[in-house]
């Protein structure tokens, strides 16, 4: 579930991070610039003795490279993405801030705080467990850069007393490069008087988890094993992040009414509307308890957890919904700090409740595709790999904390099955990370990479993407496991900053463990190329027929909205957006 395409945008001023290549950390020096190798290298088997595994290391490197592609604002000298330019230098000026930096959210040019916060949280959390993987692959300096671009932007976005910018840009139709981005880019913010409990909380989680990472915190992987933190150390930065995390949490906790942020800023509704805020409250309070040892945070986390009837039996984990992550983080907090006086057994059992429903095929609204992709109805209809990989990332995070070794192994095996699916073990023989392997997806929806400027013909203009979007993870196949590699089909092909982190958890895990090559290296069958089905199922429908279908679709969608609940709202929004863009309904 994500918003689509195109947004308006443009211009202003200085950039926060002095130099992207600047190292904040002691041991994280990149000896040379990492550039993604050609896709053919994805077929080269690694020597069994090679350590760290070159293929996993390359995948981690590519996955981080994607964040450089997505950068906004003034770019550092000698920037490694040679085809990117400075852009949107005036972002934030309308509210007196310099928000020129940060990341473009997805295939379009908006900047969205809510998914950015989950991105940073996931990256930081995993880097406190599997950070040895980043170090071994020499990617820690790029992790640092990526985190700082996001964190510095969040610090600026929250630098005015009691307020946080939650979105820049609007739903305009712009398809083109980084030089002509429309300049109409309003900044929307939430404040103490007009709060968004969810985004305050999510931002608090991002800053606090990153603060722990920059303090060198390693998290337990289980009762008898500790993870490794990536070697980022900067006490000053860590304190700064923690202080702001505390302020934002205070806003989430005390600003009234507690509400979802689109209630405060209806203008964000089309982009990343939020379902709830209790999950963000629980996670942020738990991270703060872990960072400070202050019991008042954990009391608040537990009270909110209980009052909100966690654990929920159903539901995906993603940029919006973090409920399934809550018991996992609480279980980890209990192992990390006995002083927090948490009941490990309770949180294990809650975490396993959700995971077991998935493994046993008992979660409602879910199924496994015939090719083996875990599917959450509604959520998986757009960016299908995202709910699957988020669940996989959580399963890997949790498996060492499980109530039995056997259960833990089951979670791990399941997680690896989803990871393998994304990396080529699927009916399409498709590798869903761009530029990694000859079977990689070729047409990610990315206005930056495509090189096209014709919004009405983004599939054919140009026929081949101008630049290879190395490391971008596309949305994923449909529920028949079909992937059409069609740029205009954003549900399948769009890239986004929150798409990579769950896969990166698994990658870092493998590198840290010294595991052998990923699945795609042994993939010799060619990718299955499917003709794109026309919108009516047949060819050449008249405009009238298309309009009729469109009306029917609207009616059906409205009925579904009524019947099936909140998540279907996305489809309606999508419909209108696509209609406006002249894309298929
Ligand atoms: C630590 O972070 C601060 C804040 O970003 C920065 O000014 C400083 O240069 C960093 N220190 C080192 C040693 O990298
Ligand atoms: C990482 O850097 C070290 C020091 O330059 C080098 O010996 C090693 O081969 C590099 N490893 C990878 C995976 O690039
Ligand atoms: C960056 O600028 C160059 C030179 O003007 C241009 O050719 C290129 O398309 C721009 N890149 C993007 C992503 O728009
Ligand atoms: C894990 O780390 C904690 C805190 O640093 C330490 O007390 C504990 O002994 C470690 N456990 C293992 C199994 O190494
Ligand atoms: C713990 O955090 C609360 C805010 O949630 C604060 O009022 C209190 O002073 C903190 N206690 C300590 C010991 O820092
Ligand atoms: C901890 O939680 C478990 C499972 O919910 C429960 O059976 C047990 O009584 C709890 N222990 C304490 C000390 O509350």
């Amino acid at each position: 579930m994500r918003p689509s395409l195109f947004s308006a945008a443009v211009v202003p001023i200085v950039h926060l991070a002095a130099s992207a290549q600047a190292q904040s950390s002691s041991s994280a020096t990149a000896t040379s610039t990492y550039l993604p190798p050609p896709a053919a290298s994805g077929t080269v088997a690694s020597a069994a003795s090679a350590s760290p595994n070159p293929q996993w290391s390359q995948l981690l490197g590519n996955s981080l490279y994607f964040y450089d592609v997505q950068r906004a604002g003034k770019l550092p000298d000698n920037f490694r993405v040679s085809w990117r330019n400075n852009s949107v230098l005036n972002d934030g000026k309308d509210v007196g801030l310099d928000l020129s930096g940060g990341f473009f959210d997805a295939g379009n040019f908006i900047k969205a705080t809510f998914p950015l916060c989950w991105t940073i949280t996931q990256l930081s959390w995993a880097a406190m467990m599997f950070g040895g993987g980043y170090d071994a692959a020499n990617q820690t300096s790029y992790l640092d850069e990526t985190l700082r671009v996001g964190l510095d932007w969040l610090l600026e976005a929250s630098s005015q007393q009691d307020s946080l910018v939650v979105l820049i840009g609007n739903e305009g139709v712009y398809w083109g490069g980084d030089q002509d981005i429309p300049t109409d880019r309003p900044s929307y913010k939430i404040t103490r008087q007009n709060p968004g409990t969810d985004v305050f909380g999510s931002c608090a989680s991002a800053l606090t988890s990153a603060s722990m990472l920059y303090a060198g915190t390693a998290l337990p992987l289980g009762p008898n094993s500790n993870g490794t933190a990536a070697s980022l150390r900067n006490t000053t930065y860590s304190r700064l992040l923690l202080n702001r995390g505390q302020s934002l949490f205070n806003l989430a906790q005390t600003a009234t009414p507690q509400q979802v942020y689109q209630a405060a800023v209806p203008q964000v509704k089309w982009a990343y509307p939020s379902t709830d805020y209790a999950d963000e409250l629980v996670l942020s309070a738990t991270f703060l308890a872990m960072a400070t040892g202050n019991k008042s945070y954990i009391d608040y986390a537990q009270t909110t957890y209980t009052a909100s009837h966690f654990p929920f039996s159903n539901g995906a984990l993603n940029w919006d919904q973090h409920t399934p992550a809550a018991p996992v983080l609480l279980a980890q907090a209990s192992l990390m700090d006995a002083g927090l006086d948490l009941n490990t057994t309770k949180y294990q059992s809650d975490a396993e409740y959700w995971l077991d429903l998935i493994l046993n095929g008992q979660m409602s609204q879910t199924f496994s595709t015939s090719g083996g992709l875990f599917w959450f109805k509604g959520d998986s209809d757009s960016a299908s790999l995202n709910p699957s990989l988020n669940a996989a990332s959580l399963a890997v995070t949790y498996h060492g904390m499980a109530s039995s070794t056997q259960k833990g192994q089951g979670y791990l095996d399941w997680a690896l099955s989803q990871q393998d699916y994304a990396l080529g073990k699927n009916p399409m023989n498709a590798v869903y990370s761009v530029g990694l392997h000859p079977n990689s997806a070729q047409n990610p929806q990315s206005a930056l990479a495509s090189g096209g400027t014709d919004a009405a013909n983004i599939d054919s203009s140009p026929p081949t993407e101008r630049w290879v979007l190395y490391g971008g993870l596309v949305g994923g196949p449909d529920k028949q496991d079909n992937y059409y590699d069609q740029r205009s089909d954003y549900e399948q092909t769009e890239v986004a900053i929150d798409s990579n982190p769950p896969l990166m958890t698994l990658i870092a895990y493998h590198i840290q463990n010294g595991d052998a090559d990923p699945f795609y290296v042994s993939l010799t069958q060619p990718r299955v190329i499917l003709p794109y089905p026309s919108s009516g199922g047949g060819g050449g429908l008249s405009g009238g027929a298309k309009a009729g279908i469109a009306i029917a679709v609207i009616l059906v969608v409205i009925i579904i909205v009524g019947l099936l609940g909140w998540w279907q709202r996305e489809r309606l929004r999508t419909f209108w957006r696509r209609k406006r863009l002249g894309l298929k309904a």
Side-chain angles (χ1 to χ4, degrees):
M1 308 298 301
R2 64 180 65 261
S4 97
L5 297 217
F6 322 127
S7 192
V10 184
V11 213
I13 297 225
V14 187
H15 188 69
L16 301 161
S19 156
Q21 312 289 359
Q23 306 304 313
S24 67
S25 69
S26 39
S27 55
T29 314
T31 44
S32 59
T33 303
Y34 174 84
L35 292 174
S41 69
T43 62
V44 181
S46 308
S49 59
S51 175
N53 178 277
Q55 289 289 349
W56 285 117
S57 299
Q58 176 181 316
L59 180 49
L60 189 63
N62 287 16
S63 300
L64 281 165
Y65 179 87
F66 169 72
Y67 289 92
D68 273 5
V69 172
Q70 296 297 111
R71 279 185 65 168
K74 182 171 183 330
L75 302 174
D77 294 340
N78 304 317
F79 192 56
R80 65 178 170 161
V81 186
S82 59
W83 48 272
R84 280 301 322 283
N85 311 287
N86 296 344
S87 59
V88 297
L89 297 174
N90 289 315
D91 274 8
K93 256 190 181 170
D94 56 336
V95 290
L97 295 170
D98 175 8
L99 292 170
S100 55
F103 298 110
F104 295 123
D105 166 65
N108 57 14
F109 292 100
I110 64 165
K111 294 177 186 172
T113 305
F114 199 25
L116 172 63
C117 291
W118 178 236
T119 298
I120 300 273
T121 302
Q122 261 190 319
L123 289 174
S124 301
W125 189 1
M128 289 187 276
M129 299 183 287
F130 311 124
Y134 282 94
D135 284 1
N138 286 342
Q139 289 296 330
T140 300
S141 61
Y142 292 115
L143 173 67
D144 183 23
E145 174 196 334
T146 298
L147 290 173
R148 277 176 175 270
V149 168
L151 291 164
D152 288 348
W153 189 88
L154 290 173
L155 288 171
E156 178 76 3
S158 59
S159 61
Q160 291 166 340
Q161 177 84 28
D162 289 344
S163 95
L164 172 65
V165 172
V166 291
L167 185 74
I168 296 183
N170 51 35
E171 206 180 349
V173 178
Y174 170 68
W175 183 254
D178 56 20
Q179 296 305 279
D180 302 307
I181 301 170
T183 52
D184 176 25
R185 290 174 63 80
S187 307
Y188 299 101
K189 57 183 182 176
I190 51 176
T191 62
R192 181 173 287 283
Q193 291 71 33
N194 206 20
T197 310
D198 38 22
V199 191
F200 282 142
S202 199
C203 194
S205 288
L207 299 182
T208 306
S209 57
S211 154
M212 293 166 69
L213 175 62
Y214 280 95
T217 310
L219 296 177
L221 300 176
N224 300 308
S225 85
N226 286 331
T228 311
S231 56
L232 297 169
R233 298 287 182 281
N234 187 317
T235 313
T236 315
Y237 199 48
S238 173
R239 282 211 195 99
L240 179 66
L241 295 169
L242 180 59
N243 285 342
R244 190 64 59 77
Q246 287 174 308
S247 310
L248 286 158
F249 175 76
N250 178 268
L251 282 164
Q253 186 182 10
T254 63
T256 53
Q258 286 189 321
Q259 60 182 4
V260 293
Y261 78 126
Q262 67 269 22
V265 194
Q267 295 94 328
V268 306
K269 235 184 239 173
W270 67 272
Y272 284 94
S274 166
T275 307
D276 198 0
Y277 54 81
D279 47 347
E280 285 84 15
L281 287 172
V282 174
L283 280 195
S284 54
T286 306
F287 275 121
L288 278 164
M290 294 164 88
T292 64
N294 183 329
K295 274 207 76 182
S296 74
Y297 290 122
I298 211 66
D299 291 345
Y300 188 78
Q302 295 199 92
T303 307
T304 307
Y305 183 98
T306 306
S308 307
H309 308 292
F310 286 13
F312 290 179
S313 51
N314 301 300
L317 172 66
N318 59 27
W319 53 268
D320 169 32
Q321 301 163 281
H322 311 141
T323 305
V328 171
L329 189 66
L330 281 157
Q332 195 167 39
S334 81
L335 298 175
M336 177 192 184
D337 185 352
L340 294 175
D341 200 19
L342 288 160
N343 183 342
T344 309
T345 313
K346 171 180 166 50
Y347 294 114
Q348 277 176 319
S349 120
D350 288 0
E352 292 177 16
Y353 183 60
W354 190 80
L355 289 167
D356 288 348
L357 286 178
I358 293 181
L359 264 70
N360 300 331
Q362 291 168 339
M363 190 175 286
S364 68
Q365 303 295 327
T366 66
F367 60 90
S368 176
T369 67
S370 59
L373 177 65
F374 188 66
W375 196 277
F376 285 83
K377 291 179 193 169
D379 289 275
S380 300
D381 293 334
S382 178
S384 60
L385 294 174
N386 189 255
S388 148
L389 290 173
N390 266 304
S393 172
L394 195 67
V396 167
T397 296
Y398 179 73
H399 81 280
M401 300 177 234
S403 58
S404 76
T405 314
Q406 192 194 358
K407 278 197 143 189
Q409 188 64 44
Y411 302 142
L412 178 61
D413 291 345
W414 181 84
L416 300 185
S417 76
Q418 299 305 299
Q419 157 211 291
D420 285 351
Y421 185 101
L423 297 179
K425 201 170 189 174
N426 57 60
M428 299 283 102
N429 303 316
V431 176
Y432 290 114
S433 179
V434 177
L436 184 65
H437 184 277
N439 288 18
S440 283
Q442 312 249 326
N443 288 303
Q445 192 195 80
S446 162
L448 282 168
S450 109
T453 53
D454 181 358
N457 293 292
I458 77 171
D459 289 321
S460 52
S461 170
T464 304
E465 300 243 341
R466 183 160 172 203
W467 292 288
V468 180
L469 186 54
Y470 290 106
L473 188 74
V474 296
D478 66 16
K479 54 176 170 283
Q480 277 81 43
D481 300 296
N482 289 333
Y483 185 75
Y484 298 101
D485 212 4
Q486 186 86 350
R487 233 173 271 155
S488 60
D489 188 344
Y490 82 91
E491 293 170 335
Q492 295 210 339
T493 62
E494 192 172 15
V495 294
I497 58 169
D498 68 292
S499 294
N500 284 16
L503 181 60
M504 291 165 74
T505 304
L506 286 140
I507 300 167
Y509 163 83
H510 287 299
I511 300 171
Q512 178 158 300
N513 272 7
D515 291 342
D517 278 343
F519 177 80
Y520 58 81
V521 177
S522 59
L523 185 58
T524 51
Q525 296 288 99
R527 182 158 73 88
V528 176
I529 307 295
L530 298 174
Y532 195 59
S534 68
S535 47
L541 285 175
S542 70
K546 282 181 184 163
I549 289 167
I551 289 164
V553 168
I554 294 173
L555 288 175
V556 167
V557 168
I558 289 171
I559 290 164
I560 289 171
V561 166
L563 292 178
L564 290 184
W566 72 266
W567 65 85
Q568 297 290 357
R569 290 175 303 171
E570 176 69 14
R571 294 193 154 177
L572 195 57
R573 282 195 300 280
T574 297
F575 175 83
W576 286 111
R577 192 172 309 129
R578 292 185 152 254
K579 191 163 184 296
R580 185 132 39 89
L581 296 171
L583 303 178
K584 80 182 173 64

